[in-house]
Amino acid sequence: MYNNYLKRKIVRSLIWLVLLSVAKMAFAQESAIDSTAADSTQYLYLLNKIQRKTELLQATSTVYTNQLVTTPAPSFLQALPGRLSGLYTRQRSGVQDTDDPTSVIDFRIRGQNPTILIDGVPRDFTSIEPESIESITILKDALSTVTYGQRSSNNIIFVTTKRPVVSPFKLSASIQQGAERLINLPKPVSAADYAILYNEALNNDGQAPAYSATDIITYRDGSDPYGHPDNNWQNLFLNKSAPISRYNVNMQSGNETARFYVALDYQNEGGFLKTSDINTYNTNNNVDRYIIRSNVSVDLNKTLRVDLNIFGRIQSALEAGGKSSTIFTALGATPNNAYPVFNSDGSLAGTSTYNRNISGLINNSGYLKGTSRDLSADLSVTQKLDALLAGLWIKGDVSYNNTVDQTVDRSKDFAVYNNMPLGSTSYQQIGTNVAQRTSFAFNARRTYTYGKLNLGYDKTFGEHAIHALLFTDRQSTTLNLTLPAIYTNYASNISYNYAEKYFAEAAASYGGFNRYRPGSRFGMFYAGGLGWNIAKENFLANLTWLNTLKPRITYGRTGNNNVGYYVYDQYYDNTGTSAVYYFGGESPVSARGYSELTLANPNVTWEKADKLNIGLDIALLTNRLSVTSEYFNDTYFDLMQTRGTSSQLIGQEFPLENIGRNRYTGFENSVSWNDKVGRFNYFIAGNASLLNSEVLYQDEVIRQYGYQKRTGLPVGQTFGYIAEGFYESQSEIDNSPVIVGKTTVPGDLKYKDLNDDGVIDQFDETAIGTQKPMLYYGFTAGFSVGGFDLSFSFQGVANRDVNLTLSGPLEFEFQNNGNGQAFQHHLNRWTPNNTANATYPRLSIGANDNNQRNSTFWMRSGDYLRLQNVDFGYTLPTAFTRKFKVSSIRIFANGFNLHDFSTLDHTDPENNNSVYPLRRTFNAGLNIKL
Amino acid sequence: MIHHNYLFFLFISISLLFSSCVKSLEDKPLELITEDYLWDSKDSLGTNANLFLNSIYAKLPKGFNRIGNNVLDAASDDAVPTEDGASISSFTNGGYSALSNADDSWQNSYAGIRMTNLFLQNFYKVHLKRDLLLEGQYWRAENRFLRVMFYYELIKRYGGVPLLGDQVFTLSDNLDLPRNTFDECVDYIVAECDAIKDSLRIDPVATGDYGRITRGVALTLKAKVLLLAASPLNNLNNDIDKWQRAKNAAAEVIALNAFSLEPAFSNVFTTRSNKEVILAYQRALTTDLEVNNAPIGYVSGSTSSLGRTSPTQELVDAFPTIRGRAITEDVRSGSNPTGYDATNPYANRDPRLDLTVFYNGLLWLGRGVETFDGGKDRPGGAAVQTKTGYYMRKFLGNFATGTAYSNQTHNFPIFRYADVLLMFAEAKNEIDGPGSVSDSVYTYLKAIRSRAGIMPGTDNNYGLDPNLSLSAMREAIRLERRVELAFEEQRFWDVRRWKIAETVYNKPLHGIRITNNGSTLNYQVESLNIPFQFVAPRMYRYAIPYSEVIKNPNLKQNEGY
């Protein structure tokens, strides 16, 4: 209803404007209008304005198109690791097709989870064609984000798509084809080793062995494939590689009157599953992505300009009816001897324990086809008001975004058959064969509408330059059935500089969000900055090698709306039709109930942050060497958490309240050098950032022992036991403190009794893992000479810990009550014969309450260095290509996730708890420019 | 011209922006229920308020297999849990502490108290129609009863606890409340019961209201609380006054003449509306009790029974013979054919044994129970099976014949009349001694035994010795409580309030090992290799949850934790 209203308004206004412009054109005078699309080497796109780089006071970091097109991955976020100073990334899963950016990659700026804005508007999609991205800038400090109102604390990744510029007609077409491989897959043990380990685990738990010696021999020699199968599921069901291909065409042209940039893109990413050909339809994973983009800019007359950006994307994702997550989980968790894939009569094999035959999940489960459609339309109209006041302008922006995500379910279900007794003709059926269904589900529907009105003033008086901006904006986000979330801002930004030597800037925003109590919805946020380019001073004028020496400082207060769904009122819940009690003497008459839900927090308000940033920009040797350093000190307060003194006497669950205080501090440094020697152009760039965090206050309960306190430690510190090795003998167990109420046997982890009370319990838990600041860094270099060009980038992290208990069944043996898999790293477990070199505790069946707790034993160093991207290309000589009326032809090859260096032997350093392994891609293609 | 441009443009942009400010959607979600809806003054039937009261009823003690699928008495000397590693074993294997308590009811009780205070605070807003005003008075009184019922559950476990009064706490209130003393809590509960007893329904109630709190219920709670206060655990000086008050309270219930002993013992638990049950936790018709507790060899339809509780030999031996005498005294011989025979131990016993415990040979679903070694209900090997040779029979429906279970009434008896009679007898005995065989102590004991089916004997004393001393009568009453109220969550608390836990525990429990030699069965009592610890004096009170103690500096933990 609301959205239709706005849609009608937009359409109506568009019609008005078109009529207006037509009318204007009839009377307009042709005159030169300077293109307001900025030259990217001089200017930077910031949140509300375009700023000259020399006037920059904010802490930012930027990459451009050329660094984004070299990564053959669907999302532009995957091109960023290691390239931006201050951006921490972790590839957390190799999952395909989902467009939730945080499920594929975990990214943080200064410890916060940033918002992604594309052309100034927050949008959900990150899987877009990199050729159309002009630049990605991350905004890290208060001054750069404060005008975003109640979403300014979390920092911003600001993506700008290609602006239409005055240019002759250019067309660029690229075709590329790549092969992806899965890397760092789990390494299962063979069926014989599994049987040996399983027997040992049973023995450790005081039970009789399950496999006889002949069983183990039969597994080894493979003489009974139906009764003693030994299946390596990865070899059986995963192809070595999956294809990825992309076709892109983009063109641009323009003159002073009108300019456009148009792009078309198609990407296809295949899957790794080995499917059989019993179906007429495909059940391997497959994602198709179609994009159309049109950015148009028209100068209606000397002073009026209209920009219209339209973007449409359709993604269609296919997966087997058994669901990719189930299939990949089964590949990792099913023991090699669970079942032969097919029985001797060709039916799907299985047992009552293992009844999800992987071949059945892939081939006999039908398919699911998910489609998502995104539409995005931005319209902005800029009017120069020089006639009123020189330098004054006014601009209105409107944006409409809509995403619809739906799934067609054509899955079916299968039964498995257990040949009992083996070799006979009788089979026990487990499960049922369900015919293929056709159903439709609406997964999500999202609408974002955005409107903004700006008034700006840019003027230079001799040496003084002033840029002032005053604006108001409003964004409304509607997700499925919830009421729209509406953000409103009234903000202004003023910057001043004198001779590009002295800089001052101030910004303020009065931002509101409609899910707070009426009357307390708006808050004031502000920031200011100062800078001084010492290199421009007269006393340094003769140091020609010094181009820029600019210390700068910014400080501000930002906000973050982290509030639930109208939590300021108390709600109650009735139990619907289900009974809570019964009355009645003859037969029970059901009585329904009412209950109070979680307590309301009537005073809920936004979280805040006070951020200080001190930066230094140095450019030397005619800007060939540039160094940027930032120091930041951010204090976050009024953070939403449950209070520590949440006494049960109140009789209800406590809500989140604005209580916590954290501090994040750190350094970010980046160095880059680019130069040319003759025709050899090269560049080297590196960045290194240090991030430190501290919990200042969290209403912690009274801890009996100091080593248990969370306050004062880094945010998210892991707590657990200190492991002191393995128990070597029963007498050692009898003389040591153990976990009370559990039986401990030799080979179990021995924990330290920190409070000397003779038992191991929660009072012996303390902070484990590193408390040092995390260091993340990247290194990029490249050169071009004689048509050849090469670039590569590394990314790495140091002082990071990985907690192996989070990997669950990929780390621990025989999980799921003994039905789980065992892996190669279990071969070096503790046994009475292998005590000194054991790297794993004694085996047990199912969950082991003693060994599988958080402890220093499971904390491993997660430091790694990854060769993230290499791109190599050759541009054919122009003399040759001119013969075909083509301006350039470039052949290229690139790769992604090429190699990693880490000390973890059985798990990927970045992705350690997802069933989807990460992918390595080798890609080659051709680019033709007309 | 230029001005036109600006004006047009400005007008359109501004109208665009602010047209979206026109209200077309509500400001807050109207589908979420707020308190104005719950306590609507126009709700003349009080429907929503009544539903809220129903939710408070649902917080009454549920009983049965409520602690990790085990009954509470599996932590007493009456039974052990059938499976290994049950959470309830932490009471007896040393795993019990302030950090881990399988029967913690601190949170649930205070949540219930909050709900009753919310009802109290807001119910006046609902304007009931004229002919429902009496009903409204009943609801208010029922609500106050439920509140003190929750306090009773708290003081039974923890001793004195913070009394909240009528206050509903908010986020800004100070929750650092100190504990009130045990006696203050008892006085509060008794005062509340007295205040509401005349505002409640009178027994017997209409069929549709069966299960609601009545006057008898309030007076029974008063009696139970006063008896708890008079018991040795809380009555360190053996103040006879306390026993007097307890006796008077029990007498008040008896004087109502509203309850009587159900003629058949099994009917008490399977008949929904009966004259003996004073308050029971009302449930739908189910088969969950049969499935949970019947011996493991029985399959009803496709559901196997789970036999979760293993009663001990100690409980079985407590049941007297059919003549009402202990099995050690009434031994079978030529002149005494109905005596106890160790080679056929379950014959000629108190009929309540058949209804409390599954023993070898008892008929169920068409066959005799087979708890001999290798029998269907004790096959040996790795299967989860009885640890003692017995399974729990109490509360189950009558499925001696038939092939499958069908839905039965299983309402957990919280208060019943037999309990009241025994409470009276216990209190009177402590004050005046047993008296003569025609005095009330003997009379009530005999009435219970008579109902149980014990033979009156030539002297009409149902096996009781007519000249019992005070302490011997005390033991007789304690024994009667044990066999009459088995598995009704009484033994666990009785053992603690009588302060005999340290002697009852801390010694091995026993089961029976039956070997089937084809034609004969050989019965051998064996010791169970299961820890059965009780650390006195601290375990007489539960530990207040550690997480609560660290949040409230005024909350003093119980001694020893």
Side-chain angles (χ1 to χ4, degrees), chain A residues 1 24 569 572 585 594 596, chain B residues 5 24 28 33 55 114 207:
Chain A
M1 198 168 66
K24 286 292 315 151
D569 257 344
Y572 299 84
Y594 247 102
E596 188 192 26
Chain B
N5 260 358
S24 51
K28 40 200 274 209
I33 300 167
S55 291
R114 181 189 175 84
T207 321

Side-chain angles (χ1 to χ4, degrees), chain B residues 365-401:
Chain B
L365 281 191
R367 71 158 167 90
V369 171
E370 294 180 12
T371 51
F372 53 82
D373 276 345
K376 295 202 180 79
D377 303 307
R378 199 172 195 187
V384 174
Q385 61 199 276
T386 176
K387 292 242 179 320
T388 57
Y390 301 106
Y391 291 95
M392 185 179 91
R393 168 75 178 79
K394 189 91 177 260
F395 311 119
L396 271 52
N398 184 9
F399 294 107
T401 53

Side-chain angles (χ1 to χ4, degrees), chain B residues 328-374:
Chain B
T328 46
E329 294 170 9
D330 189 12
V331 180
R332 186 185 181 158
S333 66
S335 56
N336 186 10
T338 61
Y340 174 73
D341 180 0
T343 58
N344 188 9
Y346 312 118
N348 297 320
R349 298 289 292 273
D350 181 338
R352 290 174 293 187
L353 179 62
D354 292 7
L355 294 168
T356 306
V357 171
F358 280 111
Y359 52 79
N360 189 65
L362 186 68
L363 196 62
W364 183 254
L365 281 191
R367 71 158 167 90
V369 171
E370 294 180 12
T371 51
F372 53 82
D373 276 345

Side-chain angles (χ1 to χ4, degrees), chain A residues 771-791:
Chain A
Q771 291 176 26
K772 293 190 286 185
M774 182 166 67
L775 173 70
Y776 49 101
Y777 54 92
F779 177 73
T780 319
F783 68 83
S784 70
V785 59
F788 289 96
D789 59 82
L790 170 74
S791 71

Side-chain angles (χ1 to χ4, degrees), chain A residues 47-294:
Chain A
L47 187 50
N48 297 300
K49 54 186 178 148
I50 302 165
Q51 181 120 337
R52 285 173 62 91
K53 285 191 189 171
T54 47
E55 296 175 9
L56 208 57
L57 290 179
Q58 291 85 341
T60 63
S61 204
T62 311
V63 288
Y64 299 96
T65 326
N66 57 347
Q67 297 217 340
L68 298 169
V69 295
T70 57
T71 302
S75 159
F76 61 75
L77 287 176
Q78 292 171 291
L80 299 181
R83 296 191 201 267
L84 287 167
S85 150
L87 179 70
Y88 165 75
T89 59
R90 173 172 85 92
Q91 298 182 74
R92 56 194 295 186
S93 167
V95 63
Q96 277 173 307
D97 112 71
T98 176
D99 208 19
D100 172 11
T102 52
S103 69
V104 173
I105 207 169
D106 188 18
F107 51 100
R108 279 170 208 281
I109 300 176
R110 296 190 177 178
Q112 308 304 305
N113 207 353
T115 321
I116 299 179
L117 302 185
I118 301 183
D119 291 336
V121 179
R123 306 189 217 241
D124 274 347
F125 36 84
T126 60
S127 175
I128 57 177
E129 76 288 19
E131 286 85 351
S132 301
I133 300 179
E134 169 126 15
S135 67
I136 298 182
T137 304
I138 58 173
L139 305 175
K140 306 186 276 197
D141 70 344
L143 185 59
S144 54
T145 59
V146 73
T147 51
Y148 207 46
Q150 282 199 23
R151 291 174 291 176
S152 42
S153 282
N154 284 352
N155 305 319
I156 291 174
I157 295 182
F158 195 78
V159 178
T160 312
T161 57
K162 278 244 188 301
R163 307 287 91 210
V165 292
V166 176
S167 95
F169 181 79
K170 288 191 203 164
L171 183 139
S172 165
S174 310
I175 310 168
Q176 45 192 308
Q177 178 80 42
E180 296 179 320
R181 296 166 166 253
L182 296 171
I183 56 173
N184 291 333
L185 290 156
K187 304 182 193 89
V189 292
S190 67
D193 285 336
Y194 177 87
I196 294 172
L197 294 179
Y198 199 84
N199 279 349
E200 187 180 308
L202 285 169
N203 186 39
N204 286 338
D205 283 345
Q207 298 181 46
Y211 298 98
S212 67
T214 42
D215 283 329
I216 295 170
I217 295 170
T218 320
Y219 282 125
R220 260 200 223 293
D221 61 26
S223 53
D224 179 15
Y226 292 112
H228 293 79
D230 185 1
N231 295 319
N232 184 323
W233 305 111
Q234 291 169 9
N235 292 346
L236 283 176
F237 294 112
L238 290 178
N239 281 323
K240 278 275 176 288
S241 70
I244 179 171
S245 56
R246 191 156 76 85
Y247 306 87
N248 177 286
V249 170
N250 61 68
M251 51 195 115
Q252 56 183 20
S253 176
N255 60 22
E256 297 97 12
T257 316
R259 304 157 287 281
F260 69 86
Y261 170 85
V262 169
L264 290 167
D265 192 274
Y266 167 70
Q267 176 178 288
N268 173 282
E269 202 177 357
F272 289 93
L273 301 175
K274 275 192 190 147
T275 53
S276 76
D277 40 12
I278 59 172
N279 299 313
T280 53
Y281 45 82
N282 179 25
T283 57
N284 196 357
N285 292 333
N286 192 28
V287 181
D288 283 318
R289 183 188 79 187
Y290 306 85
I291 290 180
I292 180 165
R293 182 188 299 275
S294 157

Side-chain angles (χ1 to χ4, degrees), chain B residues 342-344 360-361 372-373 514-523:
Chain B
T343 58
N344 188 9
N360 189 65
F372 53 82
D373 276 345
I514 309 174
T515 33
N516 188 353
N517 299 326
S519 50
T520 53
L521 296 168
N522 185 353
Y523 296 88

Side-chain angles (χ1 to χ4, degrees), chain A residues 761-921:
Chain A
D761 56 16
Q762 70 179 67
F763 293 117
D764 299 304
E765 287 186 353
T766 183
I768 54 175
T770 182
Q771 291 176 26
K772 293 190 286 185
M774 182 166 67
L775 173 70
Y776 49 101
Y777 54 92
F779 177 73
T780 319
F783 68 83
S784 70
V785 59
F788 289 96
D789 59 82
L790 170 74
S791 71
F792 59 87
S793 81
F794 280 93
Q795 59 120 344
V797 177
N799 288 343
R800 169 177 166 256
D801 275 335
V802 163
N803 183 353
L804 292 179
T805 60
L806 297 177
S807 308
L810 293 176
E811 173 64 33
F812 299 132
E813 75 286 10
F814 310 128
Q815 292 301 284
N816 192 15
N817 286 331
N819 299 329
Q821 177 64 293
F823 302 96
Q824 297 281 332
H825 63 266
H826 295 136
L827 292 174
N828 198 16
R829 74 269 181 222
W830 188 99
T831 64
N833 300 327
N834 178 21
T835 60
N837 300 321
T839 53
Y840 194 84
R842 61 102 179 171
L843 298 175
S844 61
I845 304 286
N848 183 313
D849 207 10
N850 185 60
N851 297 334
Q852 288 165 6
R853 300 186 179 217
N854 270 352
S855 71
T856 52
F857 180 81
W858 301 107
M859 300 296 282
R860 304 289 162 85
S861 163
D863 297 356
Y864 69 90
L865 177 67
R866 203 157 215 149
L867 176 57
Q868 192 69 33
N869 180 234
V870 173
D871 178 79
F872 178 73
Y874 175 66
T875 313
L876 296 176
T878 42
F880 177 71
T881 54
R882 227 178 292 146
K883 287 196 203 138
F884 304 98
K885 304 277 201 310
V886 165
S887 116
S888 85
I889 297 179
R890 177 170 177 261
I891 309 166
F892 60 88
N894 51 38
F896 173 65
N897 260 345
L898 292 169
H899 191 77
D900 59 86
F901 306 89
S902 84
T903 52
L904 288 168
D905 56 348
H906 59 268
T907 175
D908 187 289
E910 286 183 277
N911 165 21
N912 44 33
N913 57 351
S914 165
V915 293
Y916 299 98
L918 293 184
R919 283 168 273 150
R920 169 173 299 152
T921 311

